[in-house]
Amino acid sequence: MLRPTQHHKAPGKDKKRSWVKDHGLLLVNAGLFVVFLGGMIFSGAANYSEEQQAHGQPATGLGDFLTSGNFWEAVFENWESEFLQMAMYVVLTVFLFQRGSSESKPVDKDAPQDEDPRDARKTAKTPWPVRRGGWVLKVYEHSLSGLLALLFLLSFTLHAFGGTAAHNEEQLSHGLPEVSTWEYVRSSQFWFESFQNWQSEFLAVAVLVGASVYLRERGSPESKPVAEPHYETGA
């Protein structure tokens, strides 16, 4: 009797496939970031060159755009709003609730996120800061919001410097005096650039929080199970 042929998979390929599956969400988002950043760079460079020519200046190349205030202002103006949104969202969901939303902790019962790590059973797999305790654990307890807040402040600062450079380029093209970074940060233009992005970020969060009460996306952890009642709160 013939035995069915057995196909043996190479261990290395299985490990590689497993690693990609385990990190797929991060890898795809990082890849999309690179693609869209590249699109922004090349389209922005073309637009920057066109604007320079419209002001009677010679055409510019990719390097000129990447070292211009326009590029740095455009990048960090957007990063600033994203990190502000995420930092605020992480902190607000500690204290605030939305009954029925998959984005909220349960309203009427304890959530595992609220458990005191000092009372947890320690094992070799427990994160080192939890095993270490003390001030290290205190910092680690709020490390996610801390990182996002730090990235927001860094982006906010670089937006200010990049925006100042871009503003001064515009000033010089019109024969007007340059301004300092402090003067630019105090200007209506700087805050208009910031607020126009901030408002859209929090609108998107509000829509997601509210819509997840009544709407579903099967298979997504951002949605409750499709058959779950509307006012069942949390994951």
Side-chain angles (χ1 to χ4, degrees):
M1 183 175 68
L2 294 175
R3 297 180 180 275
T5 303
Q6 295 183 351
H7 298 282
H8 298 283
K9 297 179 181 178
K13 289 185 177 180
D14 282 345
K15 284 185 178 180
K16 184 176 181 181
R17 187 178 297 112
S18 176
W19 187 90
V20 171
K21 181 180 178 181
D22 289 347
H23 299 84
L25 189 58
L26 174 61
L27 291 173
V28 169
N29 277 281
L32 289 171
F33 163 72
V34 172
V35 169
F36 293 140
L37 179 63
M40 173 191 167
I41 288 173
F42 286 106
S43 60
N47 182 67
Y48 181 69
S49 182
E50 291 169 4
E51 288 184 347
Q52 293 296 97
Q53 290 176 310
H55 286 89
Q57 302 294 323
T60 58
L62 186 62
D64 296 309
F65 175 63
L66 291 176
T67 56
S68 71
N70 292 70
F71 171 71
W72 293 100
E73 185 272 333
V75 169
F76 291 109
E77 174 189 333
N78 284 280
W79 288 18
E80 163 198 306
S81 61
E82 298 294 341
F83 290 127
L84 173 65
Q85 176 220 65
M86 289 188 289
M88 289 293 294
Y89 190 54
V90 167
V91 173
L92 290 175
T93 51
V94 174
F95 307 102
L96 303 178
F97 303 89
Q98 173 57 54
R99 183 175 293 278
S101 176
S102 62
E103 297 295 310
S104 170
K105 291 187 297 184
V107 178
D108 301 319
K109 58 184 178 181
D110 294 334
Q113 294 90 342
D114 292 329
E115 295 174 0
D116 191 334
R118 293 159 188 80
D119 299 330
R121 186 173 67 88
K122 313 297 190 297
T123 69
K125 294 182 179 180
T126 302
W128 175 80
V130 179
R131 289 183 278 120
R132 173 68 173 78
W135 69 268
V136 175
L137 175 55
K138 191 66 178 177
V139 172
Y140 185 66
E141 285 181 304
H142 305 287
S143 55
L144 179 58
S145 60
L147 172 64
L148 295 172
L150 181 63
L151 290 171
F152 162 70
L153 291 173
L154 178 62
S155 299
F156 184 87
T157 301
L158 292 172
H159 169 204
F161 284 114
T164 302
H167 180 73
N168 284 335
E169 288 178 20
E170 187 72 17
Q171 290 287 94
L172 291 173
S173 70
H174 290 90
L176 299 172
E178 295 182 337
V179 300
S180 67
T181 301
W182 175 240
E183 289 174 319
Y184 181 69
V185 169
R186 293 167 57 197
S187 70
S188 58
Q189 180 177 338
F190 175 79
W191 290 103
F192 174 69
E193 292 167 353
S194 294
F195 286 134
Q196 69 175 331
N197 286 289
W198 295 2
Q199 56 85 23
S200 64
E201 298 297 339
F202 287 98
L203 172 63
V205 169
V207 169
L208 179 60
V209 169
S212 68
V213 175
Y214 302 102
L215 305 180
R216 308 287 189 267
E217 185 61 42
R218 184 178 177 185
S220 173
E222 297 303 310
S223 167
K224 294 182 295 187
V226 177
E228 197 160 288
H230 289 324
Y231 281 92
E232 186 67 31
T233 308

